[in-house]
Structures are given as structure tokens and as C-alpha cells.
Amino acid sequence: MIVADKKPIEEIVQEIEDVKSLLIAGCNECVTVCEAGGKKEVGILASALRMYYLNKGKDVKVDEVTLERQCDHEYLEEIRDMVERYDAIVSIACGVGIQFVAEQYPKMRVYPGVDTCFMGATEKRGLWVERCQGCGQCVLAKTGTVCPITRCAKRIMNGPCGGSTKGMCEISQEIECAWQLIIDRLAALGRLDEYEKLFPIKDWSTDRAGGPRKVVREDLQQ
Amino acid sequence: MITKTPSKLEKVLAAGHLGVTSECGPPRGSDPEEIIKKANLIKNHVDAVNITDNQTSVTRMCSLAACIRLKMEGVDAVLQMVTRDRNRIALQSDILGAASFDIYNILCLSGDHQSFGDCKAGQNVHDLDSMQLIQTIKQMRDEGKFLGGDDIKRPPQMFIGAAANPFADPFEIRVPRLAKKIAAGVEFIQTQCIYNLDKFEKWMELVRDRGLHEQVYILAGVTPFKSAGMARYMKNRVPGMDVPDEVVKRIAGVPKEKQAEEGINICIESIQRLKEVEGVKGFHVMAIEWEEKVPEIVERAGLYPRPVVE
Ligand code: SF4
Ligand code: SF4
């Protein structure tokens, strides 16, 4: 899933000082799971904003809505009648959802209420970890199903670097060295000999380097 | 072994002599005098001098410019190049720039993570890794081709080096990793500073078991401690460094004003012992901000005068 984290309220209000009415829009998908932008968080942010405006003596209407998905035109269309009643929307979906709201409603001011962080998973409640950077050409088959692009601080394809110490990455005692994980897993699979194969120079054109990406499936577009 | 480049270091090693290299960090400013002074202090005692590339991710004068300064002083340089800061366009371009000044040695590194340095908020590049940089230079030199496949007019002639850290984890992968670098095309290795000689000897044994010592020149890295404080710092704070307790105890056991001398003694004794290790083909003497001590170390270790090669 896409993992996001709450933005400080001070940062949010900076951008919307002049508005008289505000819609806080959450999303039922990833950001609900990582407890940053679901229905519950919409309620919390809306209450905090109401409190903020009350203390400032400002009369600002703050309403709440949570969509099934914000990264989907169909669901965004459902709130069309509602949207027009507000000066601005604060979306607490991921960065994709936030932009899709703005694309759907070109005349509406839309602001982010979360910081979108990465693609990851829930290690345990309150701890989300990154696992994929969407490089567009998955190499997991060759790296013991551990992603060096995401989990090695230097994206080293033929690791580890000289800084790997006791299983930990040189940048922090709290971050596991991806290459230690790769080697351990190859060893567990009895495939350590694969370690000695040189990983060829990677084509990064499918990664961020290639510019904004698209997946086109003509068979599905008919 | 036959030589592939005009590098003096390569010739010294190929002739069967123990090679000696040292290292200088470029200044944090544009004044070239410091690096020229450092180089002149050591130039008669070494075969080549590494110029570090923004080591520990602290911004400094670029390695290439500093190498050119050395070249102008008649000192052979080893251009250190990290993959952290440049993509494959910039790497190839800098290699050609260095080659245009007839810099004949290069050392391929991934570089410390930028979080150690003065630009913690910066991006890193890591388009290639150090092994892939080795392959790149080899292709440019031996095939005369850019990574993109086009021909290079006057390809670079560089003796290709890399670092190896026999002490980093996981230990069982350290020798396979060296084998991988050799397969990529590396020709000389400068090791991480060696303080744990037993562990290094164990590593060399594994290197010899696979015959790798015949395929690459291994220069053993040594760094004299200036003080017990430095020994403790290296032990506790520098990633991938292995400083046994006995060594710290030994230097801490002498009075403060004698510690520097003891540090030099330890270094020379290490060289003497390492000379006996089959497969060690020379020494990389890194006297960090203490370059003036290199001549003494080299002389007392019996590595002086440096051989003259054609
Ligand atoms: S290799 Fe690429 S696609 Fe596969 S997990 Fe890593 S970043 Fe994601
Ligand atoms: S220590 Fe491991 S994870 Fe960290 S940069 Fe080096 S190889 Fe990558």
C-alpha cells in the first residue's frame, strides 16, 4: 500500500487562512490502513481545525467526507454537488488522490493534509516500512526477493558496501543492511552461488529517471 | 604480469616490487597550495597518491582537479571516484577529463552515504555501483567504447582499482565479493585499514584458496593512530572498521605525549608482519592529516627507496 503520515496542522492552516468553508476529504484505501487519511483521521483533523478556528475567533465551516477511493474518477464524481459549496478541499488521501481531486475539479483549491511517504507494509500497528520504489523492472528474482533498490541506502546492485556492520546499514543501527538480508536469504535457499553473478548495469529508464510513467494496456481499453 | 597502462604503480607491481601508495584529502576551499605541499612531502616515498573524492560526503575540492595539480608536480595520482554523486554521463565524462591529463590510475568506490557529510539533505545518485564503474572503465579502456556503444577517440588508459574491506560484514561474502570485483575487471585493491591482523590473514588465506591473489594486486591498507582517542574513535564510530581491544590498550598504555610515536610503531610493525603474508603486493599508507609521517613510515618499514621503473 501507499503509506502516508499526517501533516502538522500549523502547516495545513498556513495555506488556507482566507477560506470560509472547508471540506476535509479522506480515502478508504491505503491511507485508512496506515491511519493517516481514513474516516477516523478526517474526523480528528476536522475537530482540530474547528478548535483552531474557534480559538482564533474565525467563522469557518469545516465539513467531512470520506471517499471509497480518491484515485478514481468514478468515486470523485460522486461528490460533485457537494464540492461546489466549499472554498477549498484539504485531501488526506495519498499524493495521487490529492492530485486526482484537483484534476477532477479544476476550479477548486485543493491542499494536501498528509505527507505521502512510500510504498510499504504494516510491520505492526504504528510501524510502516518501505519495500518497493516502483522501479518498473523488478529484480527480486535475482536478489533473494529482497529489493536492493528500496532497502539499500545506496541502491547498490552488487552489494554490500564496506559499511555493512553486524547486519546493519552504515547509515543507522536501526536499518537492516539490504545486502545482508539478500545474502542470508540466498544462503537459506541454498543459492549463495548466485551471489557471484555480476548484476549488469541497470536500465533506469523505467524508473523515475525516465520521466512520468504510464502503464498502457490496450486490451483493456476497448 | 604484463602491464596494460602507462601507470607507474602498475609497472612497479608488475615488476614484482612491493607497491606503495598514500592518500591526500583535497582542501575545503580553492587554494591548491595545501595539496601541492602534502604531495611534495611524500612524493619520493610512494608510487602514487590517492586523491579522495569528497570523502565522508563532506564537500571539498574535486578529486579530478586535485589530481591534475599533483600531475603538474610530477606526482602520479590515483583518482578516487565515487558513484554517489555522478550518473553514468558524468562518470564517463570525468574519466575522459582525467585521461586527457594522463592520469593513469583510478579507484572505484560507492562512497559514504551523504548522511555522514555536510549535505545531509542532498540527493544521491548511485546510477552505477562500484562494480559497474569498474566494468565501465574497463570497457572504455579495452574496447574503446562508451557505455552507450559509441567509439571513444583516444580511450582512457587507466589502471583500475577498487577498495576491499576484509572486516565488513558478512565476513563469508568478503572473498566472493573480491572475486566479483575481479570478474568485473579490477586490477588492484587497496584494503580498509588493517588493525586486526589475524582476521586479515584469515581473509588472505581464503583469497589464496581461490587463487585470487594471482589475479589482482592487493595493497594492504594501514593508518597510524595519532592518539588513543583516535584509536577509540576508529573502533567505535567508523563503520566497517575493526580495531581490536589490544591495539587500543597498547596505545592507551603509553603516556599521551608518546602515543603518536607508539601509533607509528604499531603501523610499522603491522607492515613488517603483512609483508610476510603471501599475496600482499604492497601497502596503502593512509596517514590521515598526518602526511608528513609517511616518509618515516615507508623508510622504517624498509620500503625505501622506491624502485625506478621504465
Ligand atoms: S526491484 Fe523495482 S519493482 Fe521490484 S521491489 Fe524493487 S523497486 Fe519494486
Ligand atoms: S550497509 Fe548495506 S544497505 Fe547500507 S548502503 Fe551499504 S550495502 Fe546498502
Side-chain angles (χ1 to χ4, degrees):
Chain A
M1 67 171 153
I2 293 179
V3 178
D5 200 3
K6 296 173 181 179
K7 256 193 196 301
I9 186 160
E10 302 76 43
E11 198 185 320
I12 299 172
V13 292
Q14 258 178 24
E15 305 291 341
I16 49 173
E17 270 178 354
D18 58 325
V19 302
K20 290 277 168 282
S21 58
L22 195 57
L23 181 63
I24 314 294
C27 175
N28 248 336
E29 299 282 352
C30 312
V31 287
T32 298
V33 182
C34 65
E35 303 189 44
K39 191 164 186 211
K40 186 179 75 190
E41 291 74 33
V42 168
I44 295 168
L45 178 59
S47 307
L49 284 169
R50 285 181 201 118
M51 190 68 80
Y52 170 85
Y53 290 125
L54 195 70
N55 287 339
K56 292 255 161 183
K58 279 189 178 174
D59 184 18
V60 178
K61 184 161 86 114
V62 180
D63 285 341
E64 307 171 24
V65 67
T66 300
L67 282 73
E68 203 45 47
R69 264 208 297 281
Q70 287 193 24
C71 55
D72 203 317
H73 292 299
E74 214 170 291
Y75 292 113
L76 285 171
E77 199 48 42
E78 286 174 4
I79 56 165
R80 183 167 293 277
D81 292 345
M82 193 181 181
V83 160
E84 282 159 13
R85 304 202 289 267
Y86 300 91
D87 294 339
I89 298 176
V90 171
S91 163
I92 56 173
C94 71
V96 179
I98 300 167
Q99 293 181 65
F100 244 46
V101 175
E103 286 171 38
Q104 192 86 2
Y105 301 107
K107 292 201 174 133
M108 177 57 76
R109 290 165 59 186
V110 181
Y111 297 98
V114 293
D115 292 312
T116 301
C117 302
F118 50 77
M119 280 188 269
T122 313
E123 192 78 76
K124 60 178 187 197
R125 186 155 182 228
L127 176 63
W128 291 276
V129 289
E130 185 174 19
R131 286 294 181 267
C132 173
Q133 293 189 349
C135 76
Q137 177 41 249
C138 195
V139 303
L140 289 175
K142 296 195 167 26
T143 56
T145 335
V146 176
C147 174
I149 294 161
T150 311
R151 301 189 69 182
C152 167
K154 301 178 193 168
R155 283 189 152 192
I156 291 177
M157 304 305 292
N158 293 285
C161 75
S164 179
T165 310
K166 298 192 176 72
M168 294 296 161
C169 173
E170 69 172 28
I171 67 166
S172 161
Q173 305 268 357
E174 273 147 40
I175 298 171
E176 290 172 292
C177 168
W179 276 94
Q180 176 82 56
L181 298 172
I182 292 170
I183 289 156
D184 289 349
R185 189 153 154 90
L186 287 175
L189 296 171
R191 295 171 68 178
L192 209 49
D193 48 321
E194 287 190 17
Y195 171 77
E196 290 206 25
K197 287 187 195 142
L198 270 172
F199 203 100
I201 292 175
K202 190 161 164 68
D203 175 358
W204 292 112
S205 68
T206 57
D207 187 66
R208 182 201 60 79
R213 293 167 284 176
K214 276 182 189 170
V215 173
V216 184
R217 283 279 305 276
E218 270 160 16
D219 56 327
L220 299 176
Q221 286 186 12
Q222 258 115 76
Chain B
M1 291 187 217
I2 43 154
T3 57
K4 289 185 182 155
T5 73
S7 157
K8 182 164 125 199
L9 176 62
E10 185 183 13
K11 285 178 185 160
V12 167
L13 292 166
H17 305 292
L18 286 170
V20 180
T21 54
S22 187
E23 187 164 303
C24 287
R28 300 208 68 203
S30 63
D31 184 354
E33 285 314 316
E34 203 182 326
I35 195 107
I36 292 171
K37 207 176 100 210
K38 282 183 184 176
N40 280 314
L41 278 176
I42 57 180
K43 75 176 190 190
N44 296 324
H45 288 77
V46 299
D47 306 315
V49 178
N50 286 38
I51 301 293
T52 52
D53 181 4
N54 297 296
Q55 80 267 27
T56 60
S57 303
V58 173
T59 315
R60 293 170 178 273
M61 180 192 288
C62 76
S63 177
L64 173 52
C67 284
I68 294 167
R69 289 282 176 189
L70 289 202
K71 190 82 193 179
M72 285 157 62
E73 295 296 305
V75 182
D76 269 28
V78 179
L79 174 70
Q80 291 198 187
M81 196 172 262
V82 303
T83 57
R84 175 191 64 224
D85 308 322
R86 302 174 188 82
N87 71 359
R88 62 190 79 177
I89 303 172
L91 290 167
Q92 293 178 94
S93 161
D94 281 357
I95 289 163
L96 290 184
S100 80
F101 283 94
D102 291 333
I103 288 164
Y104 294 132
N105 308 291
I106 189 162
L107 192 84
C108 306
L109 304 162
S110 52
D112 299 308
H113 192 265
Q114 73 275 12
S115 59
F116 291 101
D118 64 341
C119 291
K120 294 179 178 19
Q123 280 276 15
N124 55 22
V125 180
H126 298 297
D127 180 13
L128 308 184
D129 63 24
S130 59
M131 299 234 190
Q132 295 165 341
L133 179 58
I134 294 168
Q135 287 176 292
T136 301
I137 302 162
K138 192 174 162 61
Q139 172 178 327
M140 291 173 77
R141 184 189 72 190
D142 295 350
E143 295 168 38
K145 294 210 186 291
F146 287 105
L147 284 181
D150 293 339
D151 289 338
I152 301 172
K153 288 187 196 131
R154 191 178 186 266
Q157 289 185 288
M158 286 179 175
F159 187 39
I160 306 170
N165 184 356
F167 310 106
D169 293 318
F171 185 67
E172 66 272 25
I173 222 72
R174 287 291 129 194
V175 173
R177 188 162 165 73
L178 177 66
K180 224 167 153 174
K181 285 194 178 172
I182 294 170
V186 83
E187 291 151 345
F188 73 97
I189 289 287
Q190 292 171 327
T191 77
Q192 172 70 287
C193 317
I194 302 163
Y195 299 106
N196 187 342
L197 281 90
D198 294 338
K199 193 161 178 185
F200 177 77
E201 283 169 352
K202 175 86 202 136
W203 181 75
M204 279 303 299
E205 203 180 303
L206 299 170
V207 167
R208 287 194 304 271
D209 285 348
R210 292 189 52 168
L212 300 177
H213 65 306
E214 309 278 357
Q215 298 168 43
V216 69
Y217 298 107
I218 296 173
L219 307 186
V222 291
T223 291
F225 290 134
K226 265 184 177 171
S227 63
M230 175 181 173
R232 280 188 211 103
Y233 178 84
M234 300 269 269
K235 180 179 174 66
N236 300 321
R237 305 295 289 279
V238 181
M241 192 72 74
D242 184 345
V243 185
D245 289 330
E246 311 88 78
V247 181
V248 180
K249 260 191 218 143
R250 176 168 164 193
I251 189 158
V254 300
K256 239 187 157 58
E257 64 284 0
K258 294 254 178 202
Q259 287 179 352
E261 195 188 318
E262 190 68 0
I264 302 280
N265 290 339
I266 295 172
C267 183
I268 290 161
E269 286 167 34
S270 300
I271 296 177
Q272 300 292 15
R273 180 167 153 190
L274 292 166
K275 272 185 180 177
E276 304 303 318
V277 178
E278 190 190 346
V280 170
K281 301 285 166 62
F283 295 91
H284 182 50
V285 185
M286 295 164 273
I288 301 160
E289 295 301 321
W290 211 16
E291 287 81 3
E292 68 272 21
K293 287 289 173 190
V294 171
E296 179 188 335
I297 295 169
V298 172
E299 286 177 24
R300 284 178 55 198
L303 297 165
Y304 187 80
R306 299 305 311 141
V308 179
V309 286
E310 263 316 298

